Amino acid sequence: MTFSSPLFLFLFLPLFILLNFVIWKRGRNLFLVIISLLFYAWGEPKYILLLLLSILVNYIISSRIDDSQRHKNQTGARLWLSAGLTINLGSLAVFKYTDFLLASSWNWIGSFTGLDFLHLNAPGLPLQLGISFFTFSAVSYLIDIYRQDAQHEHHPIYAALYISFFPKLLAGPIVQYRHMKDKIRSRTISAEKLTSGIQRFITGLGKKVLIANTLGMVADQIFAVFPDQLTAPVSWLGILCYTLQIYFDFSGYSDMAIGIAKMAGFDIPENFNYPYIAQSVREFWQRWHISLSTWFRDYLYIPLGGNRCTPERVYINLMVVFLLCGMWHGAGETFLIWGAWHGIFIALEHAGFGNALKKIPPAFRHLYLILVVMIGWVIFRSDSLDYAVRYIKTMFGFSPGIAPVTALGGYLNSLVIFTLLVGIVASLPVVVKIKDLQDKMPIISGIKNSLHNRIFLLGRSLAELLFLGFILIVSVLFMSGSLNNPFVYFKF
């Protein structure tokens, strides 16, 4: 069950909203834990015990860290934190990286020694849904308590709610514990928050169903073709569609998660801030998947020394962060290289290239960023490094394009063209600029009468309501006419 499935939209979400409103205030946290576990069990029933075990283990360890600190036993607190990090990251490594590390290292030994009979097939461990996200949440919980940025939750339901809260459970945002603790203890639920949450949810639903799914079908068709059978224009179309797909898919999920959380009385931090308008790779990562980049900054980069080291050490710190960021996304050489690709440009910008960028026109800075990001997405999307290299060669005309499977026109129709245009415009802060301008209109025009202002705001609210209703209806129609398409980040 996903946020964009009919079952969630017409059964789970309405029941959640209704029960969350009518249930007594002191029972809401328990209710959210139960419904979060039911939500997770619906998609991964066989792994619900592992999620419960994660909650129990992290609660026990956090209590041990807190007890050690209250008794001024800093060594004990460090040992318990180390145990917690080992258990959490170790379980993530087992489920996510065993196949890749075991098979690749063993097969490399066989190739290096010439003993090809040492070839080993991957054991095929299944990837637990959402494990990357709730593991990082658990690590945040333990470190925040160890640093005394937050107190240990003596009530086990509070700790369970932080880790299992279903809007962020499967694909984030990775909300740090200190940003949720106050709302877990006390929050208000109002009609205003419910309305705002529903609006945000519908916005995310439209991003996912109308834009990401439509462009994702084109990207999947093109990336299913061997690069030597693609022309340069078709390869550019494929990566353009994927560039927009992954943004609207993931930001759409984040919008829906933020909206559902708001309905429950929580304010989850923003996860995207128009990343494709960035003019450097550093700025891109300040706007893209903000919760993940913030997590790596606070819990890895700064502890490694951050910018407070020698230049050489800073570059090493940056590369370590982005290599691990790549590995966090998936177990494979393409993810590792994708992380290194971004790390190299971040290091170059830190070394002085960033200052040089500031001296060139903004349009060229933006072109630089888009090229770096799109080439990175080719690596990220490809099943192998060989495919990625061939695809990039095709993009820049270094591949003959022998016997192309389909010409550019075979992938383009009126719906795809319209969706591309909408996607490009929607990836820019156009709506924000329009709203800012509208807010100033009564003052600019000299209309200070409160009645005129009320009429203006009422008209804008009505237009927004009609637009959101249109988005909801069209999204439901699209969902009913196609198979359920899971979110891209579910596999990470």
Side-chain angles (χ1 to χ4, degrees):
M1 179 170 56
T2 67
F3 292 165
S4 58
S5 66
L7 180 63
F8 182 86
L9 283 176
F10 300 114
L11 180 61
F12 190 93
L13 185 59
L15 284 175
F16 160 71
I17 295 172
L18 176 63
L19 294 175
N20 194 53
F21 257 95
V22 301
I23 204 164
W24 72 102
K25 189 173 181 179
R26 294 186 63 182
R28 283 176 181 159
N29 283 339
L30 177 59
F31 164 72
L32 286 178
V33 170
I34 293 172
I35 203 168
S36 295
L37 295 175
L38 287 174
F39 177 82
Y40 188 82
W42 196 283
E44 290 280 8
K46 60 184 177 181
Y47 291 125
I48 188 65
L49 291 178
L50 289 175
L51 176 59
L52 290 171
L53 184 62
S54 174
I55 293 170
L56 177 62
V57 168
N58 283 288
Y59 175 76
I60 293 173
I61 291 177
S62 67
S63 67
R64 296 297 89 203
I65 294 173
D66 179 68
D67 185 63
S68 297
Q69 289 176 330
R70 284 190 290 106
H71 289 86
K72 309 298 182 183
N73 183 5
Q74 198 60 28
T75 301
R78 280 197 299 269
L79 288 174
W80 279 111
L81 176 64
S82 299
L85 296 179
T86 301
I87 292 171
N88 281 291
L89 299 178
S91 62
L92 178 63
V94 168
F95 281 97
K96 195 165 186 176
Y97 306 111
T98 296
D99 284 5
F100 171 70
L101 294 175
L102 182 61
S104 61
S105 60
W106 192 265
N107 295 335
W108 179 84
I109 293 174
S111 300
F112 182 77
T113 59
L115 302 176
D116 294 336
F117 64 88
L118 290 176
H119 180 80
L120 179 68
N121 292 323
L125 288 177
L127 180 62
Q128 185 178 355
L129 191 61
I131 189 171
S132 297
F133 291 92
F134 70 72
T135 296
F136 269 32
S137 292
V139 169
S140 165
Y141 176 60
L142 296 180
I143 295 178
D144 282 358
I145 292 170
Y146 174 78
R147 292 176 176 175
Q148 299 183 335
D149 291 332
Q151 294 179 340
H152 162 66
E153 291 290 3
H154 294 282
H155 200 308
I157 293 299
Y158 291 0
L161 177 56
Y162 167 68
I163 295 175
S164 68
F165 188 42
F166 79 90
K168 69 177 186 64
L169 179 60
L170 301 185
I174 307 170
V175 186
Q176 297 179 21
Y177 173 61
R178 59 179 177 268
H179 296 315
M180 272 189 73
K181 61 183 179 65
D182 292 336
K183 293 294 185 180
I184 290 176
R185 292 174 181 273
S186 176
R187 61 187 179 278
T188 57
I189 300 174
S190 64
E192 182 182 357
K193 283 192 172 184
L194 175 62
T195 301
S196 176
I198 291 173
Q199 291 174 342
R200 190 65 181 266
F201 181 88
I202 294 174
T203 300
L205 180 68
K207 284 183 177 182
K208 164 61 179 173
V209 176
L210 303 181
I211 300 178
N213 284 4
T214 301
L215 299 181
M217 288 189 291
V218 179
D220 290 345
Q221 291 171 7
I222 294 175
F223 273 88
V225 178
F226 195 70
D228 289 353
Q229 295 178 299
L230 296 174
T231 61
V234 170
S235 64
W236 278 103
L237 174 64
I239 194 54
L240 173 61
C241 286
Y242 185 72
T243 298
L244 293 173
Q245 178 203 3
I246 194 168
Y247 169 61
F248 286 106
D249 189 285
F250 195 20
S251 68
Y253 181 95
S254 296
D255 284 342
M256 286 187 267
I258 291 170
I260 298 169
K262 192 173 290 291
M263 298 176 205
F266 291 89
D267 296 311
I268 291 181
E270 295 294 333
N271 208 22
F272 290 88
N273 183 21
Y274 298 102
Y276 292 152
I277 69 170
Q279 297 183 8
S280 68
V281 178
R282 180 175 180 270
E283 184 187 356
F284 173 81
W285 278 99
Q286 292 171 342
R287 295 173 174 272
W288 175 274
H289 203 345
I290 299 169
S291 64
L292 179 66
S293 55
T294 301
W295 194 98
F296 273 108
R297 181 197 67 195
D298 292 349
Y299 300 119
L300 182 60
Y301 182 66
I302 292 177
L304 285 174
N307 296 336
R308 305 183 307 276
C309 309
T310 62
E312 294 78 11
R313 179 61 185 270
V314 171
Y315 305 144
I316 293 174
N317 292 345
L318 288 169
M319 288 304 300
V320 167
V321 166
F322 279 93
L323 285 171
L324 291 177
C325 179
M327 286 295 290
W328 178 89
H329 281 83
E333 60 180 3
T334 54
F335 296 109
L336 191 65
I337 293 170
W338 173 78
W341 173 259
H342 280 267
I344 288 169
F345 281 97
I346 289 283
L348 288 174
E349 290 177 8
H350 185 85
F353 182 56
N355 292 329
L357 275 177
K358 295 176 182 178
K359 299 177 182 178
I360 65 176
F364 289 100
R365 296 201 298 267
H366 184 249
L367 178 62
Y368 148 76
L369 181 277
I370 291 298
L371 283 174
V372 170
V373 169
M374 291 182 76
I375 291 173
W377 286 140
V378 172
I379 301 170
F380 189 90
R381 174 62 177 78
S382 299
D383 293 330
S384 67
L385 180 59
D386 178 68
Y387 185 96
V389 171
R390 290 175 181 270
Y391 195 101
I392 294 169
K393 287 172 63 178
T394 300
M395 287 170 58
F396 292 96
F398 296 109
S399 180
I402 301 171
V405 173
T406 306
L408 187 64
Y411 297 100
L412 291 173
N413 54 44
S414 56
L415 176 61
V416 172
I417 294 172
F418 177 75
T419 306
L420 279 170
L421 293 175
V422 171
I424 292 171
V425 172
S427 67
L428 307 173
V430 176
V431 175
V432 175
K433 298 293 185 184
I434 292 174
K435 281 189 174 182
D436 289 343
L437 182 61
Q438 286 178 339
D439 289 337
K440 297 175 183 177
M441 282 177 63
I443 300 174
I444 293 172
S445 60
I447 300 174
K448 299 182 183 296
N449 188 294
S450 60
L451 177 61
H452 287 83
N453 288 334
R454 287 200 299 268
I455 293 173
F456 172 78
L457 294 174
L458 179 62
R460 188 173 75 176
S461 298
L462 181 60
E464 290 177 351
L465 181 62
L466 291 173
F467 179 72
L468 287 171
F470 172 77
I471 293 296
L472 178 60
I473 292 171
V474 176
S475 297
V476 171
L477 292 175
F478 268 62
M479 287 162 50
S480 63
S482 62
L483 296 175
N484 182 39
N485 188 3
F487 291 89
V488 171
Y489 262 67
F490 274 13
K491 61 183 179 181
F492 303 134

Coordinates of all heavy atoms in Angstrom, one line a residue, residues 114-152:
G114 N 43.0 -15.7 -11.1 CA 42.8 -16.5 -12.2 C 42.0 -17.8 -11.9 O 41.9 -18.7 -12.8
L115 N 41.5 -17.8 -10.7 CA 40.7 -19.0 -10.3 C 39.2 -18.7 -10.5 O 38.5 -18.4 -9.6 CB 40.9 -19.3 -8.8 CG 42.4 -19.6 -8.4 CD1 42.5 -19.8 -6.9 CD2 42.9 -20.8 -9.2
D116 N 38.8 -18.8 -11.8 CA 37.4 -18.4 -12.1 C 36.4 -19.3 -11.5 O 35.2 -18.9 -11.4 CB 37.2 -18.5 -13.7 CG 38.1 -17.4 -14.4 OD1 38.4 -16.4 -13.7 OD2 38.4 -17.6 -15.6
F117 N 36.8 -20.5 -11.1 CA 35.8 -21.4 -10.4 C 35.4 -20.9 -9.1 O 34.4 -21.4 -8.5 CB 36.4 -22.8 -10.3 CG 37.6 -22.9 -9.3 CD1 37.4 -23.1 -8.0 CD2 38.9 -22.8 -9.8 CE1 38.5 -23.2 -7.1 CE2 40.0 -22.8 -9.0 CZ 39.8 -23.0 -7.6
L118 N 36.0 -19.8 -8.6 CA 35.6 -19.2 -7.3 C 34.4 -18.3 -7.5 O 34.0 -17.7 -6.5 CB 36.8 -18.4 -6.7 CG 38.0 -19.2 -6.2 CD1 39.1 -18.2 -5.8 CD2 37.6 -20.1 -5.1
H119 N 33.9 -18.2 -8.7 CA 32.7 -17.3 -8.9 C 31.6 -17.7 -8.0 O 31.3 -18.9 -7.8 CB 32.3 -17.5 -10.4 CG 31.1 -16.6 -10.7 ND1 31.2 -15.3 -10.9 CD2 29.8 -16.9 -10.7 CE1 30.0 -14.8 -11.1 NE2 29.1 -15.8 -11.0
L120 N 31.0 -16.7 -7.4 CA 30.0 -16.9 -6.3 C 28.7 -16.1 -6.7 O 28.8 -14.9 -6.9 CB 30.5 -16.5 -5.0 CG 29.5 -16.7 -3.8 CD1 29.3 -18.1 -3.5 CD2 30.1 -15.9 -2.5
N121 N 27.6 -16.8 -6.7 CA 26.4 -16.1 -7.0 C 25.9 -15.4 -5.7 O 26.1 -15.9 -4.6 CB 25.3 -17.1 -7.5 CG 25.6 -17.6 -8.8 OD1 26.1 -16.9 -9.7 ND2 25.3 -18.9 -9.1
A122 N 25.3 -14.3 -5.8 CA 24.8 -13.5 -4.7 C 23.7 -14.3 -4.0 O 22.9 -15.0 -4.6 CB 24.2 -12.2 -5.1
P123 N 23.7 -14.3 -2.6 CA 22.7 -15.1 -1.9 C 21.3 -14.6 -2.1 O 20.4 -15.4 -1.8 CB 23.2 -15.0 -0.4 CG 24.0 -13.8 -0.4 CD 24.7 -13.7 -1.8
G124 N 21.1 -13.4 -2.5 CA 19.8 -12.9 -2.8 C 19.0 -12.6 -1.5 O 17.8 -12.9 -1.5
L125 N 19.6 -11.9 -0.6 CA 18.8 -11.5 0.6 C 17.8 -10.4 0.2 O 18.2 -9.4 -0.4 CB 19.8 -10.9 1.7 CG 20.7 -11.9 2.4 CD1 21.6 -11.2 3.4 CD2 19.8 -12.9 3.2
P126 N 16.6 -10.5 0.7 CA 15.6 -9.5 0.4 C 15.9 -8.2 1.1 O 16.4 -8.2 2.2 CB 14.3 -10.1 0.8 CG 14.7 -11.1 1.9 CD 16.0 -11.6 1.5
L127 N 15.6 -7.1 0.5 CA 15.8 -5.8 1.1 C 14.5 -5.4 1.9 O 13.4 -5.3 1.3 CB 16.1 -4.7 0.0 CG 16.3 -3.3 0.5 CD1 17.5 -3.3 1.5 CD2 16.5 -2.3 -0.6
Q128 N 14.7 -5.1 3.2 CA 13.6 -4.8 4.0 C 13.1 -3.4 3.6 O 13.9 -2.4 3.6 CB 14.0 -4.8 5.5 CG 12.8 -4.6 6.4 CD 13.3 -4.7 7.9 OE1 14.4 -5.0 8.2 NE2 12.4 -4.4 8.8
L129 N 11.8 -3.2 3.4 CA 11.2 -2.0 3.0 C 11.5 -0.9 4.0 O 11.2 -1.0 5.2 CB 9.7 -2.1 2.8 CG 9.0 -1.0 2.1 CD1 9.5 -0.8 0.7 CD2 7.5 -1.3 2.0
G130 N 12.0 0.3 3.6 CA 12.2 1.4 4.4 C 13.4 1.3 5.4 O 13.6 2.2 6.2
I131 N 14.2 0.3 5.3 CA 15.3 0.0 6.3 C 16.3 1.2 6.3 O 16.8 1.6 7.4 CB 16.0 -1.3 6.1 CG1 16.9 -1.6 7.2 CG2 16.7 -1.4 4.7 CD1 17.5 -3.0 7.2
S132 N 16.6 1.8 5.1 CA 17.6 2.9 5.1 C 17.1 4.1 5.9 O 17.9 4.8 6.5 CB 17.9 3.3 3.7 OG 18.5 2.2 3.0
F133 N 15.8 4.3 5.8 CA 15.2 5.5 6.4 C 15.0 5.3 7.9 O 15.4 6.2 8.7 CB 13.9 5.9 5.8 CG 14.1 6.3 4.4 CD1 14.0 5.5 3.3 CD2 14.3 7.7 4.1 CE1 14.2 5.9 2.0 CE2 14.5 8.1 2.8 CZ 14.4 7.3 1.7
F134 N 14.4 4.2 8.4 CA 14.2 4.1 9.8 C 15.5 3.7 10.6 O 15.6 4.0 11.8 CB 13.0 3.1 10.2 CG 13.3 1.7 9.9 CD1 14.1 0.9 10.7 CD2 12.6 1.0 8.9 CE1 14.3 -0.4 10.5 CE2 12.7 -0.4 8.7 CZ 13.6 -1.1 9.5
T135 N 16.5 3.2 9.9 CA 17.8 3.0 10.5 C 18.5 4.3 10.8 O 19.0 4.5 11.9 CB 18.7 2.1 9.7 OG1 18.1 0.8 9.5 CG2 20.1 2.0 10.3
F136 N 18.4 5.2 9.8 CA 19.1 6.5 10.0 C 18.3 7.3 11.1 O 18.9 8.1 11.9 CB 19.1 7.3 8.7 CG 20.4 7.1 8.0 CD1 21.1 5.9 8.1 CD2 20.9 8.1 7.2 CE1 22.3 5.6 7.4 CE2 22.1 7.9 6.5 CZ 22.8 6.7 6.6
S137 N 17.0 7.1 11.2 CA 16.2 7.8 12.2 C 16.6 7.2 13.6 O 16.8 8.0 14.6 CB 14.7 7.5 12.0 OG 14.2 8.2 10.9
A138 N 16.8 5.9 13.7 CA 17.2 5.3 15.0 C 18.6 5.8 15.4 O 18.8 6.1 16.6 CB 17.2 3.8 14.9
V139 N 19.5 5.9 14.4 CA 20.8 6.5 14.7 C 20.8 7.9 15.2 O 21.4 8.3 16.2 CB 21.7 6.3 13.5 CG1 23.0 7.1 13.7 CG2 22.0 4.9 13.2
S140 N 19.9 8.7 14.6 CA 19.7 10.1 15.0 C 19.2 10.1 16.5 O 19.7 10.9 17.3 CB 18.7 10.8 14.1 OG 18.2 12.0 14.6
Y141 N 18.3 9.2 16.8 CA 17.7 9.1 18.1 C 18.8 8.9 19.2 O 18.9 9.6 20.2 CB 16.7 8.0 18.1 CG 16.1 7.7 19.5 CD1 15.4 8.7 20.2 CD2 16.1 6.5 20.1 CE1 14.8 8.5 21.4 CE2 15.5 6.2 21.3 CZ 14.9 7.2 21.9 OH 14.3 6.9 23.2
L142 N 19.7 7.9 18.9 CA 20.7 7.6 19.9 C 21.8 8.7 20.0 O 22.2 9.0 21.1 CB 21.4 6.2 19.4 CG 20.5 5.0 19.4 CD1 21.3 3.8 19.0 CD2 19.9 4.7 20.8
I143 N 22.2 9.2 18.9 CA 23.2 10.3 18.9 C 22.7 11.5 19.6 O 23.4 12.2 20.4 CB 23.8 10.6 17.5 CG1 24.5 9.3 16.9 CG2 24.7 11.7 17.5 CD1 25.0 9.5 15.5
D144 N 21.5 11.9 19.3 CA 20.9 13.1 19.9 C 20.9 12.9 21.4 O 21.1 13.9 22.2 CB 19.5 13.4 19.4 CG 19.5 14.1 18.0 OD1 20.6 14.3 17.5 OD2 18.4 14.3 17.5
I145 N 20.5 11.7 21.9 CA 20.5 11.5 23.4 C 21.9 11.5 23.9 O 22.2 12.1 25.0 CB 19.8 10.2 23.6 CG1 18.3 10.3 23.3 CG2 20.0 9.8 25.1 CD1 17.5 9.0 23.3
Y146 N 22.9 10.9 23.2 CA 24.2 10.9 23.7 C 24.8 12.3 23.8 O 25.5 12.6 24.7 CB 25.1 10.0 22.7 CG 26.6 10.0 23.0 CD1 27.1 9.3 24.1 CD2 27.4 10.8 22.3 CE1 28.4 9.3 24.4 CE2 28.8 10.9 22.6 CZ 29.3 10.1 23.6 OH 30.6 10.2 23.9
R147 N 24.5 13.1 22.8 CA 25.0 14.5 22.8 C 24.2 15.4 23.7 O 24.5 16.5 23.9 CB 24.9 15.1 21.4 CG 25.9 14.5 20.3 CD 25.6 15.1 19.0 NE 26.5 14.6 18.0 CZ 26.4 14.9 16.7 NH1 25.5 15.7 16.2 NH2 27.3 14.5 15.8
Q148 N 23.2 14.8 24.3 CA 22.3 15.6 25.2 C 21.6 16.7 24.5 O 21.2 17.7 25.1 CB 23.0 16.0 26.4 CG 23.6 14.9 27.2 CD 24.3 15.3 28.5 OE1 24.7 16.5 28.6 NE2 24.3 14.4 29.5
D149 N 21.4 16.5 23.2 CA 20.5 17.5 22.4 C 19.1 17.2 22.6 O 18.2 18.0 22.3 CB 20.8 17.4 20.9 CG 22.2 17.9 20.5 OD1 22.7 18.7 21.3 OD2 22.8 17.4 19.6
A150 N 18.8 16.0 23.2 CA 17.4 15.6 23.5 C 17.4 14.6 24.6 O 18.4 14.0 24.9 CB 16.7 15.0 22.3
Q151 N 16.3 14.5 25.4 CA 16.2 13.6 26.5 C 15.7 12.2 26.0 O 15.0 12.2 25.0 CB 15.3 14.2 27.5 CG 15.8 15.4 28.2 CD 14.8 15.9 29.3 OE1 13.7 15.6 29.2 NE2 15.3 16.7 30.2
H152 N 16.2 11.2 26.7 CA 15.6 9.9 26.5 C 14.2 9.8 26.8 O 13.7 10.4 27.8 CB 16.4 8.9 27.3 CG 15.7 7.6 27.5 ND1 15.5 6.7 26.5 CD2 15.1 7.0 28.6 CE1 14.8 5.6 26.9 NE2 14.6 5.8 28.2

